[in-house]
Amino acid sequence: MDSINQSLSQFSKGGFNERFEKIKKETMQDDRIRSFIAGNPELSEKQIENGVNEFYQYKKQWENCDHCPGLANCPNLIQGYQPKLSLYRNEIHLEYYPCSLKKKDEERKRQASFVQSLYIPKEMTQVSFEDFHEDHPSRMHAYTKAMAFCAEVKPGGDGRGLYIHGPFGVGKTFLVGAIANYLADEEMSTMIVYAPDFFRELKNGISDGSYQGKMDLVKQAPVLILDDIGAETMSNWIRDDILGAILQFRMMEKLPTIFTSNFDLHELEIHLSSTQRGGVERVDQLKAKRILERIKHLNDVIDMKGENKREKS
């Protein structure tokens, strides 16, 4: 980040003082700087004068943030960090704190380093509700319910979530990506897990000792999104020890869960009842019903229909 003198180096010597005074005046009229000075009435004129360069850098970097080009293209002195004015030993200094995009990126990296099945397609990392096109009544309904969820969600409150089902390509994962990004911007930790990969990863975690840590991370996520539930190969262990345990914990702690699935609830119950042992036994039906009751009790069901967007792309 250029200092005020570096910014003036392009001007001829004769116009330096005039240009300096102009930039200084523009800098000191900045609302954020005026607010800082007003909030620190003990500042002397000399301290303010000595801090002009810090004020200038502060103003320029916040202008970058106000017109954010995205984390990858952040031009600030420290990429992804926003400046804060402070007083240190009676002098004006700049401190730096991660912006919401940086914090979101670091949280995703932290989670992804621990649970590989948290993979989200790259195009989903920046998707927003503004990108959602309501070209079908059921999609409009889903969009409205998703926005209402974001406005009302409160982990530890009532624990209510969403169960979004529909055929391939209607935008289920797109919608939950928008939810996750919206909540991340609101600094609410949200974890998206691709269910089939996560279940396989937990199985491998038994042998490498990572099982419990991964299980706890997902169970305790303030907002959990289980993407494509029902696409996994069902077993007693997945149904009872993984899915059942996760939902039981989250129900007790009132933590909201969002599901996406190609199955409606009736089809999901059949899927949960059918294990690798073959056939459907009475005990499997009862355990499947128990999980379905938890989902029904705590989730608003959304039926998404419409054209397959993947086939059109």
Side-chain angles (χ1 to χ4, degrees), residues 28-43:
M28 301 310 295
Q29 288 177 341
D30 181 84
D31 288 342
R32 294 186 178 99
I33 293 171
R34 292 172 65 182
S35 177
F36 173 78
I37 294 173
N40 294 274
E42 72 279 11
L43 283 171

Side-chain angles (χ1 to χ4, degrees), residues 99-108 125 181 184-185:
C99 69
S100 61
L101 292 181
K102 181 67 174 178
K103 287 189 282 188
K104 182 167 64 173
D105 183 65
E106 289 179 342
E107 177 64 11
R108 282 180 174 151
T125 62
N181 288 324
D185 288 340

Side-chain angles (χ1 to χ4, degrees), residues 2 15 29 47 56 81 84-85 103 135 148 203 208 218 223 242 260:
D2 293 342
Q29 288 177 341
Q47 287 175 305
Y56 174 77
Y81 283 74
K84 179 182 178 181
L85 290 166
K103 287 189 282 188
D135 54 358
K203 187 174 182 179
D208 65 24
V218 171
V223 179
I242 305 303
T260 74

